[in-house]
Amino acid sequence: MMKRVVLIPGDGIGPEVIGSCVRVINATDADIEFIKIDAGESAIEREGTPLPENVLNLIRKYKVALKGPITTPIGSGFRSVNVELRKRLDLYANIRPAKSFDGIKTRYENVDLVVIRENTEGLYVGIERYTKNESEGETIRRITKRACERIVRFAFEYAIKENRKKVTAVHKANIMKVTDGIFLNTAKEVAEEYPDIEFEDKIVDNMCMQLVTRPELYDVIVTTNMFGDIISDLCAGLVGGLGVAPGANLSEDIAVFEPVHGSAPKYAGLDKVNPTATILSGVMMLRHIGEEDSANKIMNALIDVFKEGKKLTFDLGGSAKTSEFTEYLVSKIRD
Ligand code: NAD
């Protein structure tokens, strides 16, 4: 049966990387109809808002979306369309895998970890104000036991489903005793329900040091919103950079797949950037909707292309354009 997926090309390099991803998915003959709709700068021009209600309604209706990065507009109502989208659809779990590919030169060869980030609260709830003219201010960090419990439980259930062995909860409870105290205590409580999965906790600064020296020790990392945002970019750096880092945002029944990277406006329209992060997000989407064959075809082709190392984009030391990389990948899929 034909499956429907909402497609949001996004801003900057978004339309190029999403275009590449759709081309690659279509090359697998997956039975998918993409329903395209604009959010971000193009939506502002047409509808006066970067996140029109009909975008949210379409995602609510079809439950699955593939999204390009969206530029955060300056001086409009939303701090960030991405943050707003996650909040409005209660996409509470942000999954960001970081896995090494043979042929992508990095400091480490066998990184295979997943950052699971709480996506709806913490420092990103957007409660900020100046307390004295514009020279002093404060930002509220809101943490609830309910959100901690569901993200940590999600991480353990993910570990079981993906046959992973360890969950590491990352926090700063030594300093933020209230908010990260709630997170850490809740993580410890939930961990007791999963005796077959190893559990440990790490203070975030130590975690960053550990990740750049011994990334092979980590498996599933679960953390609050801002720490997850920062650590997942760090982990992207371990496996080749933002050009190869995919992601998914999940609620109980909705899934929005997008690369970790932003809209990189300086590269927009140059046919230059690496579409792999978006293609890998597409692979996650295909597995989510049960299109395993198509997902496997794309993964095998990517593994081949990186192993050969003949057609790589600039960020991986090559000179292939986005379109050349895409067509080469398509030729491998059709081999
Ligand atoms: P960015 O991720 O767009 O770019 C950072 C750097 O990473 C770029 O200069 C580029 O060198 C590299 N890079 C990113 N994507 C790449 C790719 N596919 N291939 C090769 N290199 C790549 O981050 P930024 O410059 O901080 O943000 C630009 C805009 O994107 C901002 O408006 C920000 O708010 C937005 N943003 C959106 C999302 C999202 O939509 N989920 C995420 C992050 C940032």
Side-chain angles (χ1 to χ4, degrees):
M1 200 180 77
M2 163 96 73
K3 291 167 182 162
R4 296 198 165 80
V5 173
V6 177
L7 189 73
I8 303 170
D11 299 323
I13 60 170
E16 291 162 72
V17 290
I18 284 285
S20 162
C21 180
V22 169
R23 167 101 179 98
V24 167
I25 289 175
N26 285 340
T28 68
D29 297 325
D31 202 9
I32 294 176
E33 183 192 353
F34 288 104
I35 301 167
K36 182 175 164 293
I37 190 157
D38 285 330
E41 284 167 342
S42 43
I44 298 181
E45 282 158 27
R46 210 166 309 147
E47 312 212 24
T49 166
L51 187 58
E53 265 321 294
N54 54 353
V55 173
L56 295 165
N57 288 336
L58 212 59
I59 301 175
R60 285 188 188 108
K61 179 171 175 191
Y62 292 111
K63 312 281 186 219
V64 182
L66 182 62
K67 169 186 166 295
I70 292 178
T71 301
T72 294
I74 296 165
S76 101
F78 295 138
R79 266 158 227 278
S80 155
V81 176
N82 306 300
V83 172
E84 189 67 16
L85 184 78
R86 292 166 192 161
K87 226 163 70 181
R88 293 282 301 279
L89 297 175
D90 197 27
L91 300 166
Y92 68 92
N94 186 195
I95 309 172
R96 293 180 161 183
K99 190 168 173 12
S100 309
F101 273 100
D102 278 357
I104 296 185
K105 288 197 192 71
T106 54
R107 288 181 179 78
Y108 304 99
E109 277 171 7
N110 292 314
V111 177
D112 182 9
L113 52 84
V114 180
V115 178
I116 295 183
R117 158 191 176 194
E118 204 293 321
N119 229 357
T120 60
E121 55 177 34
L123 265 172
Y124 292 3
V125 287
I127 309 172
E128 263 196 316
R129 64 180 186 117
Y130 291 111
T131 49
K132 185 178 163 195
N133 305 321
E134 289 194 4
S135 61
E136 287 179 16
E138 58 189 20
T139 300
I140 302 289
R141 183 173 197 260
R142 183 175 161 74
I143 296 282
T144 63
K145 187 174 172 72
R146 173 184 166 270
C148 295
E149 200 176 320
R150 73 176 176 172
I151 196 67
V152 176
R153 200 176 297 286
F154 180 95
F156 275 98
E157 291 295 330
Y158 180 91
I160 290 170
K161 198 172 99 219
E162 299 292 325
N163 202 20
R164 290 182 174 268
K165 306 288 176 241
K166 181 166 86 169
V167 171
T168 305
V170 177
H171 61 88
K172 190 76 184 176
N174 53 330
I175 305 292
M176 294 185 286
K177 292 180 194 297
V178 173
T179 50
D180 263 357
I182 296 171
F183 174 72
L184 179 58
N185 290 334
T186 308
K188 286 179 177 168
E189 279 169 29
V190 173
E192 283 182 12
E193 296 171 31
Y194 297 90
D196 296 336
I197 305 283
E198 189 186 338
F199 173 75
E200 63 177 3
D201 71 274
K202 285 264 180 295
I203 292 175
V204 63
D205 35 355
N206 178 31
M207 184 75 218
C208 291
M209 191 276 290
Q210 297 281 340
L211 278 169
V212 297
T213 51
R214 291 189 296 175
E216 71 282 358
L217 295 185
Y218 299 95
D219 196 350
V220 176
I221 293 169
V222 62
T223 189
T224 49
N225 205 339
M226 189 176 75
F227 293 158
D229 194 6
I230 296 167
I231 286 175
S232 54
D233 269 36
L234 185 158
C235 291
L238 295 173
V239 295
L242 287 172
V244 296
N249 303 283
L250 305 185
S251 77
E252 298 303 342
D253 63 341
I254 294 174
V256 177
F257 298 85
E258 63 177 343
V260 171
H261 65 71
S263 55
K266 69 178 172 187
Y267 293 124
L270 300 183
D271 193 18
K272 181 167 177 169
V273 294
N274 190 348
T276 303
T278 308
I279 294 169
L280 287 171
S281 306
V283 169
M284 292 173 81
M285 183 274 288
L286 289 168
R287 295 204 196 285
H288 179 82
I289 62 173
E291 293 283 335
E292 287 289 333
D293 279 357
S294 293
N296 292 339
K297 279 184 198 164
I298 297 173
M299 277 313 287
N300 291 338
L302 278 171
I303 289 167
D304 243 30
V305 169
F306 290 131
K307 218 179 252 172
E308 278 180 12
K310 285 196 297 205
K311 283 261 188 263
L312 300 178
T313 44
F314 80 101
D315 54 313
L316 301 180
S319 58
K321 292 173 181 294
T322 312
S323 53
E324 286 168 348
F325 175 86
T326 306
E327 291 314 312
Y328 195 59
L329 195 60
V330 165
S331 72
K332 291 278 174 195
I333 289 168
R334 293 198 166 140
D335 238 6

